[in-house]
Amino acid sequence: VRVFPIAAKVRDPSDAWLDNFELPDGLRAGEPVTVALRAFAHRETAARIQIRNGASSLGTRDVRLSPGFNPIEFEVRFPRPGAVTLTAELQIPQDGYTGNNRVQVAGWVGARARVLMVEGEADRALPVRDALAAENIDVKLITPEELANLIPALNEYDALFMSDVPAAALSPETMDRTRRHVTDRRVT
């Protein structure tokens, strides 16, 4: 049986509401993420939308709603890992009914991204390390000689970054184990 929903007539043509609120998968603490909202309005109107995580405001934006569905995106950052419950609230002048102006979505924020950086020339690593750290990415800087001892722990990192590492600085076994980790996520 096919069902075709039909919207009922609106009691108040000044009514507007939030229809949808989505978080992307793979949220990480400190990383910018775009959350998507959808608002519906019967007439063109000015609106203000606020997004909160508990009592903390993540952002407020003034928007112009057109008749029909209006996609709205916010870029936010979550400072800490763990469970989040976001609330979006719509405010419009002379709203005939405010009971449909709030939506919530729950999600999980993972720990900050971790990068293991192997640098052949330590002084050259600082600008890259600092740039990654400025984007809320944890970076551990090691020498090529230290890599052999850390291969069993590579799964703790989200990325392996190698710079200015001459092939002669790594043993064939270290190269092979590193290659297997990068291609297969297997460490032996």
Side-chain angles (χ1 to χ4, degrees):
V1 174
R2 294 180 77 183
V3 177
F4 298 93
I6 298 173
K9 279 194 147 190
V10 176
R11 291 187 315 224
D12 187 346
S14 66
D15 191 23
W17 61 84
L18 290 174
D19 175 67
N20 194 23
F21 193 5
E22 295 179 6
L23 287 175
D25 292 332
L27 301 174
R28 292 289 191 116
E31 290 182 2
V33 63
T34 301
V35 297
L37 294 160
R38 190 168 67 174
F40 183 86
H42 285 283
R43 60 180 169 82
E44 187 169 329
T45 186
R48 174 170 284 171
I49 298 176
Q50 180 181 35
I51 296 181
R52 293 185 321 273
N53 179 19
S56 301
S57 177
L58 296 179
T60 301
R61 185 186 300 158
D62 292 324
V63 296
R64 190 99 193 134
L65 299 179
S66 300
F69 288 105
N70 296 265
I72 301 159
E73 293 183 340
F74 271 81
E75 186 174 288
V76 298
R77 287 182 191 250
F78 300 103
R80 290 173 300 286
V84 293
T85 301
L86 299 187
T87 302
E89 191 162 348
L90 173 72
Q91 299 169 351
I92 65 168
Q94 295 93 32
D95 191 355
Y97 178 66
T98 59
N100 54 8
N101 290 10
R102 189 163 45 136
V103 292
Q104 289 187 315
V105 65
W108 181 262
V109 178
R112 289 170 37 145
R114 296 183 69 208
V115 172
L116 180 63
M117 186 173 180
V118 184
E119 176 60 59
E121 299 179 34
D123 58 329
R124 296 184 67 182
L126 300 180
V128 174
R129 183 202 63 194
D130 293 346
L132 291 170
E135 290 301 317
N136 293 300
I137 297 173
D138 293 333
V139 179
K140 179 173 181 156
L141 180 61
I142 64 170
T143 65
E145 295 77 26
E146 294 172 288
L147 179 60
N149 295 330
L150 283 175
I151 288 178
L154 286 180
N155 287 333
E156 297 173 17
Y157 296 92
D158 299 295
L160 173 64
F161 183 99
M162 298 179 82
S163 175
D164 296 322
V165 177
L170 301 174
S171 71
E173 179 187 356
T174 299
M175 282 191 235
D176 184 55
R177 292 175 73 199
T178 303
R179 179 195 54 78
R180 280 186 286 147
H181 172 76
V182 170
T183 58
D184 305 335
R185 277 299 232 200
R186 279 186 303 136
V187 177
T188 56

